[in-house]
Amino acid sequence: MPTLAGVEVDAVSVAGLETSICLPQLGCALDLGVCRPGAVHRRTVLFTHAHIDHMGALARHCATRNLFGLAPPTYALPEESRAGVDDLLAAWRRLDGATLPCTVIPARPGTEVALGKGRVARAFRSIHRVPSLGWAIHERRSRLRAAFRGRPGPEIAQARAAGAEVSEPVEVPLVAFTGDSRIEVLEREPVLQAVRLLIMELSFVDDRVPVDRARAMGHIHLDEVVARASLFQNEAVLFTHRSARYGVGEANRAIAAALPPGLRERAWLLPQRRAFRDEPLVPVPAGAVDV
């Protein structure tokens, strides 16, 4: 399982077919277009939107966890999709004769979902053809207040014993996922520039699908990424949602040729899954073989 910016990523994403991103260290999954084995063990799933390639395996995930005797899952999803998901689960309960126990959280921008170990996922609005959210995962820590930094330990302990607030809470932005979105989300949401690992859709890489058509579909084109290269301040950027019209090597070469130095070395492309097995991540600068 590859690690980017200190975060393990177990993922598959093919535009229009399936997207499922598991973050085992962080105790969650992002979208369930397919219910892969790793996703079954993720109790919390953060959904971006209700397109089938991102949410189609919700009922299967719920049923599989129940079959294995795992705790009922928690699904956070755009509040506009809540009624439809309730209808979906009700239909499967009738058809399957199962209870499908789960908790559904209707989310809006700012909604927080606790992930345990001091981590929280916070929703932000993405820009797609249907109501959509992105998710940013933060780790809450404690640090010394500026007035106490550099002071001897006994002095800090004495101040604490006297009732002084010597520490303050701080959030460290770890990972963000845009889901399907237009590029403006990168400009509008400062957290996307601050996270260590940015997972962002990049559906189209050449003029077979021009920028205006990509935008009409609510997706991102490589030309738009290049124009905003300075905004990518992240340790690593993982591009997902590649259109199936491009082979891995073909897309890799297009991205490597277009991205400026500095960003190119931090960018990774998530390959399409081959039948019956997963492929490793391929760094953008490599990309020598078409698939």
Side-chain angles (χ1 to χ4, degrees), residues 11-283:
V12 61
S13 183
V14 185
L17 298 179
E18 55 186 11
T19 289
S20 179
I21 299 169
C22 293
L23 306 175
Q25 294 166 299
L26 305 182
C28 67
L30 300 157
D31 287 345
L32 285 173
V34 60
C35 188
R36 306 170 73 222
V40 172
H41 296 281
R42 308 281 78 81
R43 182 176 182 177
T44 300
V45 183
L46 310 169
F47 286 101
T48 60
H49 64 291
H51 279 159
I52 291 176
D53 58 320
H54 292 258
M55 195 182 280
L58 183 152
R60 184 179 182 88
H61 178 267
C62 187
T64 304
R65 285 188 61 88
N66 189 46
L67 177 67
F68 289 171
L70 299 173
T74 294
Y75 301 130
L77 44 87
E79 61 182 358
E80 298 91 340
S81 305
R82 170 66 186 271
V85 168
D86 286 345
D87 291 343
L88 174 71
L89 288 168
W92 273 112
R93 286 167 180 142
R94 291 195 303 271
L95 291 167
D96 194 65
T99 57
L100 296 181
C102 62
T103 298
V104 178
I105 299 175
R108 62 180 66 182
T111 295
E112 294 187 351
V113 178
L115 301 178
K117 299 182 179 179
R119 298 179 184 124
V120 62
R122 186 175 299 122
F124 59 88
R125 180 65 67 191
S126 54
I127 310 164
H128 195 42
R129 295 184 293 109
V130 297
S132 302
L133 297 172
W135 292 94
I137 299 173
H138 304 259
E139 187 170 78
R140 289 172 171 163
R141 302 176 183 174
S142 180
R143 68 180 178 187
L144 280 176
R145 293 183 179 274
F148 292 95
R149 293 172 200 164
R151 293 167 65 173
E155 186 178 336
I156 296 173
Q158 183 179 7
R160 183 183 289 111
E165 291 288 341
V166 302
S167 62
E168 60 185 359
V170 63
E171 283 191 345
V172 178
L174 300 178
V175 181
F177 177 48
T178 64
D180 291 1
S181 182
R182 287 186 179 181
I183 191 66
E184 283 83 359
V185 70
L186 179 65
E187 301 165 328
R188 195 179 65 189
E189 301 293 336
V191 69
L192 299 185
Q193 302 175 39
V195 289
R196 293 177 178 174
L197 172 60
L198 172 60
I199 305 174
M200 190 180 87
E201 79 125 278
L202 177 55
S203 299
F204 306 110
V205 302
D206 63 22
D207 58 7
R208 276 177 280 180
V209 176
V211 171
D212 58 350
R213 185 177 165 200
R215 291 181 58 78
M217 291 186 285
H219 293 300
I220 295 174
H221 192 284
L222 177 58
D223 289 353
E224 298 177 293
V225 171
V226 173
R228 296 162 178 81
S230 64
L231 299 182
F232 293 89
Q233 301 298 313
N234 324 90
E235 291 181 31
V237 179
L238 176 60
F239 293 122
T240 66
H241 209 260
R242 173 177 54 86
S243 169
R245 59 174 45 81
Y246 308 115
V248 173
E250 180 183 23
N252 253 341
R253 286 190 292 273
I255 295 170
L259 294 185
L263 175 54
R264 183 187 305 138
E265 294 79 10
R266 292 179 284 120
W268 294 72
L269 174 66
L270 182 68
Q272 178 176 332
R273 189 181 66 177
R274 289 176 178 165
F276 307 116
R277 73 178 183 87
D278 294 331
E279 296 172 314
L281 285 171
V282 177

